[in-house]
Amino acid sequence: MWNPHAPLSTRQRQVLGAVGIGGALLVWSAVALSGLVKPYFLPAPWDVLGALGDMAQAEGDRNLFGAAWASGRRVGLALLAVIVIGVPLGTLMGASSKVNAVLSPLVDPMRSAPVVAVLPIVVLWFGIDETAKVVFLWLGASVFLIPMVRDAIVAVPRQHVILAEDLGATPLEAIRHSVFPLALPRIVDAVIVAVGIEWTYITVAEFVNAQQGLGYLIQLNKRLSANDNVFAGILAILVLALITDQALKFAKRKLFPWEAEA
């Protein structure tokens, strides 16, 4: 049992995952029924489920599906920017010790910095519309993705570069045709992490002048003290984040079937 490398079938993973979710729901239900915590602070699972149904049937900016689409669009745009900007930058840092020496003092400390604190600066530079929200999500994810991409490039054994150069490749061609493809599975892992971070920050991004989105719904219902709706909004974000995560991992397994599943 205590073997981190023991293989599990898809069926086993599904069953064990269902056990984990079911156990959490049982504990949640037991606490709600016990009366130890007031419903205002912890609505029962069935109340949250009912709130999800009500939000799904709501109209306008309170509709659950419209809010999910708005948040998903922002996450998707930020992810595209992360891939277009962050992956090449991390690759350059990993491929060149000089580039890494120049940029790492700027990039590495950002992982420990409170990214939320830069939101006022993002708003100052990019305004209060969609651009600021996407830029904030991009920034929050990029500070983690760029070092992960750099480390993925560096982790490729030096012998692959030497072999490519022995076959006549230039150093740049060796990086492009040998190192980068070998690092690609770990780079995809970095992208998966980045998406999770973006979902983590979505409520913060939608705090600024949002007219639609799951974060907007959570804030609106919090002001109305409709905490069952607040929990429903949080649950919707968790579900969407899980779906995104599993979809990307499925794509990774199809693209790199030789990679052991984490």
Side-chain angles (χ1 to χ4, degrees), residues 8-21 246 253:
L8 292 177
S9 66
T10 301
R11 179 63 177 172
Q12 287 176 311
R13 289 181 178 276
Q14 292 173 344
V15 170
L16 292 174
V19 168
I21 294 174
Q246 292 301 309
R253 289 195 297 269

Side-chain angles (χ1 to χ4, degrees), residues 124-148:
L124 177 65
W125 289 354
F126 298 97
I128 59 175
D129 295 324
E130 288 297 302
T131 302
K133 298 173 181 59
V134 174
V135 168
F136 175 75
L137 292 174
W138 168 80
L139 180 62
S142 291
V143 296
F144 291 94
L145 175 128
I146 292 173
M148 291 180 70

Side-chain angles (χ1 to χ4, degrees), residues 212-225:
Q212 196 175 27
L214 292 171
Y216 165 77
L217 279 184
I218 291 172
Q219 296 166 40
L220 176 64
N221 285 292
K222 181 59 180 177
R223 289 196 295 267
L224 298 174
S225 296

Side-chain angles (χ1 to χ4, degrees), residues 184-258:
L184 199 51
R186 290 188 61 183
I187 292 174
V188 173
D189 286 335
V191 171
I192 294 173
V193 171
V195 175
I197 293 171
E198 288 177 1
W199 280 115
T200 301
Y201 285 131
I202 189 65
T203 54
V204 179
E206 293 177 344
F207 183 79
V208 179
N209 194 44
Q211 302 300 318
Q212 196 175 27
L214 292 171
Y216 165 77
L217 279 184
I218 291 172
Q219 296 166 40
L220 176 64
N221 285 292
K222 181 59 180 177
R223 289 196 295 267
L224 298 174
S225 296
N227 287 349
D228 51 349
N229 285 13
V230 171
F231 274 77
I234 295 172
L235 181 59
I237 291 176
L238 293 176
V239 170
L240 286 174
L242 178 61
I243 291 173
T244 307
D245 179 80
Q246 292 301 309
L248 290 173
K249 287 180 178 178
F250 176 80
K252 182 194 172 185
R253 289 195 297 269
K254 292 299 182 182
L255 290 171
F256 313 107
W258 61 88

Side-chain angles (χ1 to χ4, degrees), residues 88-131:
L89 187 57
T91 301
L92 286 175
M93 292 175 66
S96 172
S97 57
K98 293 180 179 179
V99 173
N100 185 51
V102 171
L103 296 181
S104 60
L106 303 176
V107 174
D108 289 343
M110 290 297 293
R111 287 183 290 181
S112 302
V115 179
V116 176
V118 306
L119 182 59
I121 299 176
V122 173
V123 171
L124 177 65
W125 289 354
F126 298 97
I128 59 175
D129 295 324
E130 288 297 302
T131 302

Side-chain angles (χ1 to χ4, degrees), residues 28 31-33 35-45 47-48 221-222 225-232 234:
W28 183 4
V31 172
L33 289 172
L36 295 174
V37 181
K38 295 181 179 180
Y40 178 82
F41 298 104
L42 183 65
D47 291 332
V48 174
N221 285 292
K222 181 59 180 177
S225 296
N227 287 349
D228 51 349
N229 285 13
V230 171
F231 274 77
I234 295 172

